Amino acid sequence: MNEKNKITFEKFTEKHIAEAAKLALAELEAGKKQYPDLPDGDFTESITGTLHWLCSQPFGKAAIEKGRLIGYLLFAGPWDGFFGDVKGVFSPLGGSAFSYDCENRGRLASMLFASVAEEFVEQKVFSCALSRYAHDEETAKSFILNGFGIRCTDTVRKLSEFNLPCNSYDGILFKELPADKFNEVEYLQRGLHKHLAGAPVFFPAYDFDKWFENWIKRESMHIFVAESEGALIGFISIDDDAENFITGYDKMKNICGAFLSENYRGRGIAQGLLSFIANTLKAEGITHLGVDCETLNPTALNFWGKYFTPYTYSFARRIDERIGD
């Protein structure tokens, strides 16, 4: 193939960062045009910092055509037990970009993955995941055809456009929970984790008590709750940052967990709690609200999809480890 003959691949190093940042910013600007709810901040420093960090990681390739960078794909890791009992790696948002001047960006994405994945298998790394912009259907299709599946999404909404009615609910109180009361949502978190362990999500079990002890100590977290007759029946947790550099925007908050007791579902209470949170954040000068949501979880996907716009998808692939035998 002529395109393949013109493109060469080399180890991504510090010398590629300036050009790589331009490619990443071009993809971000395309995303902003597609999704006006994205914050209009300057993310140059965040993207450049991500690229410097990924340079220190073992897996990353640059695609060169006629002496210029036209694409790159970088991964952090590896870590043990990454989506299974194998070593795995992850490419965050900004960890890959493909030039819009390239005639076939999907083909370029596939070629870069093939070049990097060959090194994965040599090092017995058999699980890989990456985050990409949701608007980029050309490269998304390429990764799907390379055996990846979508497992989660980042979504966003401008709070100025968030005008849910804050109805009154008989006997239901919405409030923010003080930090010294975070432990009171333990049984709700257990309910959430039980839900995620079941079909079709199948998240593996782990030491919940240890995880919860660390979770309630997160200094940047806020927890909003719904209360009925003195008992907590639901919660939504908010944090400053989530899974990508966009979530670090200084006027953006991010929903990182939510659960409503089954007996209270179907009455609009979750919507009411979300409306209470949106109004509270707007009063504090926050302009954007995001949600990190597993697409494997249809209950969450259906709820958040009513109010938020997906702007990233995270893809994952498990390589058959028998190839390393």
Side-chain angles (χ1 to χ4, degrees), residues 127-175:
S127 180
C128 52
L130 56 92
S131 181
R132 293 285 304 157
Y133 291 103
H135 73 274
D136 197 345
E137 296 181 2
E138 183 178 2
T139 59
K141 180 179 179 180
S142 175
F143 285 115
I144 290 170
L145 292 176
N146 272 278
F148 284 80
I150 298 174
R151 63 175 293 119
C152 59
T153 180
D154 294 305
T155 67
V156 68
R157 187 69 180 270
K158 280 183 181 178
L159 288 177
S160 60
E161 304 295 324
F162 208 110
N163 296 309
L164 284 176
C166 191
N167 299 326
S168 60
Y169 298 87
D170 188 28
I172 304 297
L173 173 67
F174 302 125
K175 65 181 183 180

Side-chain angles (χ1 to χ4, degrees), residues 281-318:
L281 295 179
K282 280 193 284 187
E284 296 174 353
I286 302 301
T287 61
H288 292 75
L289 183 60
V291 183
D292 170 22
C293 170
E294 280 76 28
T295 57
L296 291 76
N297 183 358
T299 301
L301 190 63
N302 178 64
F303 179 74
W304 301 122
K306 297 174 183 177
Y307 313 110
F308 295 85
T309 301
Y311 67 95
T312 76
Y313 288 124
S314 288
F315 300 83
R317 177 179 174 182
R318 174 75 175 264

Side-chain angles (χ1 to χ4, degrees), residues 7-127:
I7 299 174
T8 59
F9 301 94
E10 61 188 45
K11 172 68 177 176
F12 188 97
T13 66
E14 296 279 342
K15 72 178 182 180
H16 299 112
I17 287 180
E19 287 185 274
K22 292 178 182 179
L23 295 182
L25 286 167
E27 290 194 340
L28 173 58
E29 289 304 312
K32 288 180 179 179
K33 292 178 181 178
Q34 186 74 21
Y35 306 118
D37 278 348
L38 281 173
D40 192 25
D42 183 357
F43 294 99
T44 305
E45 184 176 345
S46 297
I47 289 173
T48 303
T50 297
L51 292 170
H52 278 289
W53 169 58
L54 289 170
C55 266
S56 68
Q57 305 297 304
F59 300 111
K61 286 295 183 74
I64 308 297
E65 182 181 50
K66 298 179 180 179
R68 67 187 182 95
L69 183 76
I70 61 168
Y72 66 91
L73 179 57
L74 316 176
F75 289 85
W79 302 282
D80 290 329
F82 192 76
F83 298 142
D85 191 22
V86 293
K87 291 182 180 179
V89 290
F90 175 62
S91 180
L93 194 65
S96 64
F98 313 100
S99 173
Y100 287 104
D101 293 332
C102 182
E103 182 179 350
N104 190 334
R105 295 174 68 249
R107 175 61 175 157
L108 176 61
S110 180
M111 293 168 69
L112 268 165
F113 175 68
S115 182
V116 179
E118 188 172 21
E119 295 184 356
F120 292 167
V121 174
E122 290 175 357
Q123 300 298 320
K124 297 190 180 299
V125 173
F126 299 115
S127 180

